Amino acid sequence: MRFNKYIVAFIGILGICQISQAQVPSPGEKQNKGIVLKGGTVHDGNGNVKENTDVAFIDGKISFIGNNFSDAEYSVINVQGKHLYPGFILPTSPLGLVEIEAVSASSDTYETGKSNPEVRSVIAYNTDSHVIPTVRSNGVLVEQVMPQGGLFSGRSSIVQLDAWNWEDAIIKENDGQHLHWPKKYYQNSWTNPDKSLQTSKSYYKTVDLIEQTLMDAEAYSMAPTPNVPDFPLEALKGIFQGTEKLYIHVDEAKSIISSVKLAQKYHIKDIVVVGGADAWLITDFLKENNIPVLLTDVHSLPTREQDDVDLPFKRAKLLSDVGVLVGLTHSSASNSRNLPFYAGTLVAYGLNQEDALKMITSNTATILGIEKQFGSLENGKSATLIISEGDVLDMRTSIITHAFIDGRTVDLNNKHEMLYQKFKKKYDN
């Protein structure tokens, strides 16, 4: 019996050792001394490029952008020949809510049921996820954590990606509600000879359910607060009072129009379209109603057989050219590390490079309502930025050497890099 106790203790110690080796990097310490990045090429996120420029920051805020900065109290980092960018922003993502997408037990992205507006995704956000450092090391430093599932899936929150816990990570809590609009049309299986589009039998019934929910929620928001609140309706009050946005996940052109008009019918003004595969077909409507679009999964196939095979790479330019505010996102937590390279694909298909950069920095910050703090390199804004040896939108040249969040130095090590070094050492010998 005593021997068994020793065995159990030994196994426990081995387990602790294995866990300790697998821990994600610790968050950076609060900035306690000014830092100046000397002589780099600054891409400010607003479309401007400034050669041989100094960027200084102290107490987590940018204090100087220009030439010939001199202050003996500041630590100097020579970045000549390198490029400086704002930290990239990843909207509408399950990053931190799912570890291995093929393993359902590691996913905490949704609740059961059709309508869960009271769900707060951020309380399930796991700062110790091994996926986060892999995304962070590619320049993604800010994320909108979004719940999934059902029609009203709940509230998202905006976090920075270098924190001890979700409370420390929060930038903006409960920034918006997420409505997943039903698909009106579907196509039969490839085994079915009938290739025509079919109308969903449940579409109108589902839309009626959404409208009833919005009707009840608007009435509830205008009534005196009851002694015993209705938590789902209480959670929806913000979209009527203007304190939260309504993110409508929808792709079909007619459904985009229908969903926006329904939201406007109940006096919801702050609306964002997420997905937006057909948004390029209705640019006049989007401009007239000042509706921004978060395009999802640039690297995807067209939705219709007759579409240009390269259409997913061109949608952002088609929208941007007519003045629609566009940001980029990705539905996969693990693949979201490639966010800058998705923006680079848009450059290959005709979009100006700095305009593509805006779609993962300042445009997204404006859409999420955090543009006063993040999304561009300007005096007084958060010192959340990255340094790369080459073009950060090109996977062939992007080598990120430094990252800072609110002035704190971010450890760029991650599990992918550790495994690479491990097996490189093995096979180099």
Side-chain angles (χ1 to χ4, degrees):
M1 194 73 176
R2 197 172 181 183
F3 181 71
N4 288 341
K5 287 181 180 179
Y6 285 126
I7 291 176
V8 171
F10 179 70
I11 292 172
I13 291 169
L14 281 179
I16 291 171
C17 292
Q18 289 294 321
I19 291 170
S20 65
Q21 291 177 357
Q23 290 301 306
V24 299
S26 297
E29 295 182 2
K30 185 177 179 180
Q31 185 184 11
N32 56 20
K33 184 178 182 181
I35 296 174
V36 57
L37 310 175
K38 296 283 290 185
T41 299
V42 174
H43 304 256
D44 68 4
N46 288 325
N48 305 307
V49 181
K50 303 169 186 176
E51 303 281 350
N52 194 29
T53 299
D54 301 342
V55 176
F57 49 94
I58 190 167
D59 296 327
K61 301 290 184 183
I62 297 174
S63 56
F64 178 88
I65 300 177
N67 302 112
N68 303 318
F69 179 85
S70 179
D71 190 324
E73 298 297 319
Y74 279 63
S75 297
V76 177
I77 300 176
N78 187 344
V79 293
Q80 286 186 340
K82 297 183 180 180
H83 299 261
L84 279 62
Y85 301 88
F88 305 142
I89 303 171
L90 175 67
T92 64
S93 174
L95 178 65
L97 302 181
V98 58
E99 194 67 11
I100 303 171
E101 288 164 314
V103 179
S104 59
S106 74
S107 176
D108 196 9
T109 58
Y110 65 91
E111 294 289 343
T112 57
K114 286 188 175 181
S115 186
N116 298 290
E118 72 279 15
V119 165
R120 295 171 59 236
S121 59
V122 74
I123 62 173
Y125 175 67
N126 176 23
T127 54
D128 286 327
S129 166
H130 283 278
V131 184
I132 291 174
T134 68
V135 175
R136 195 172 59 198
S137 63
N138 249 13
V140 179
L141 305 182
V142 175
E143 176 206 2
Q144 182 191 40
V145 187
M146 178 198 72
Q148 298 175 330
L151 297 176
F152 288 92
S153 56
R155 297 157 114 173
S156 57
S157 291
I158 301 168
V159 298
Q160 50 88 2
L161 299 185
D162 186 49
W164 287 104
N165 50 56
W166 66 265
E167 293 95 339
D168 292 342
I170 287 177
I171 293 170
K172 189 175 183 179
E173 189 171 5
N174 299 336
D175 73 294
Q177 281 282 350
H178 291 261
L179 167 60
H180 295 264
W181 196 261
K183 286 192 174 183
K184 187 173 184 179
Y185 304 103
Y186 68 93
Q187 202 157 25
N188 286 321
S189 164
W190 64 273
T191 58
N192 192 317
D194 183 4
K195 300 300 182 186
S196 62
L197 287 176
Q198 309 294 317
T199 302
S200 170
K201 294 179 181 178
S202 63
Y203 175 80
Y204 292 105
K205 184 178 179 180
T206 305
V207 171
D208 287 343
L209 176 60
I210 293 171
E211 180 163 15
Q212 186 63 54
T213 302
L214 292 177
M215 185 187 304
D216 293 345
E218 185 186 33
Y220 184 90
S221 70
M222 294 186 292
T225 303
N227 292 330
V228 180
D230 182 308
F231 291 109
L233 297 182
E234 189 75 30
L236 287 166
K237 285 173 71 171
I239 62 175
F240 301 100
Q241 297 173 346
T243 58
E244 297 181 31
K245 298 175 185 285
L246 178 62
Y247 295 88
I248 304 177
H249 298 250
V250 57
D251 284 317
E252 300 160 349
K254 289 184 177 179
S255 291
I256 293 174
I257 294 173
S258 298
S259 61
V260 169
K261 286 187 173 180
L262 181 62
Q264 290 173 336
K265 178 180 177 181
Y266 293 98
H267 309 101
I268 301 171
K269 295 180 180 178
D270 213 342
I271 302 166
V272 178
V273 167
V274 182
D278 285 350
W280 65 281
L281 294 170
I282 52 169
T283 54
D284 289 343
F285 173 80
L286 295 171
K287 281 184 62 181
E288 181 183 340
N289 291 276
N290 194 29
I291 306 295
V293 177
L294 291 171
L295 287 174
T296 303
D297 298 353
V298 168
H299 287 190
S300 60
L301 293 173
T303 54
R304 288 174 289 269
E305 286 187 9
Q306 65 269 28
D307 285 342
D308 178 359
V309 69
D310 294 330
L311 178 60
F313 310 142
K314 299 175 180 177
R315 289 182 184 128
K317 186 178 189 314
L318 293 171
L319 289 165
S320 180
D321 283 352
V322 296
V324 176
L325 187 62
V326 180
L328 302 183
T329 185
H330 200 278
S331 58
S332 163
S334 57
N335 285 337
S336 58
R337 68 183 181 276
N338 293 319
L339 185 67
F341 306 142
Y342 300 140
T345 300
L346 305 182
V347 178
Y349 283 82
L351 193 66
N352 175 275
Q353 181 151 347
E354 300 308 313
D355 287 339
L357 178 65
K358 287 163 68 174
M359 292 181 183
I360 55 175
T361 55
S362 60
N363 282 12
T364 304
T366 300
I367 292 170
L368 300 185
I370 56 172
E371 71 279 6
K372 292 182 180 179
Q373 299 169 272
F374 300 93
S376 61
L377 301 180
E378 299 177 56
N379 283 337
K381 286 195 174 183
S382 170
T384 298
L385 56 103
I386 58 174
I387 303 170
S388 174
E389 291 186 358
D391 177 7
V392 81
L393 302 188
D394 188 339
M395 66 173 62
R396 298 169 299 181
T397 60
S398 175
I399 303 176
I400 295 176
T401 59
H402 299 77
F404 302 89
I405 294 178
D406 292 331
R408 294 179 288 106
T409 302
V410 176
D411 189 336
L412 294 177
N413 198 13
N414 61 74
K415 195 169 185 178
H416 291 179
E417 180 65 24
M418 292 167 65
L419 289 172
Y420 170 75
Q421 294 298 337
K422 173 182 177 179
F423 289 101
K424 182 176 186 294
K425 183 178 179 180
K426 174 183 179 181
Y427 290 108
D428 279 352
N429 295 331

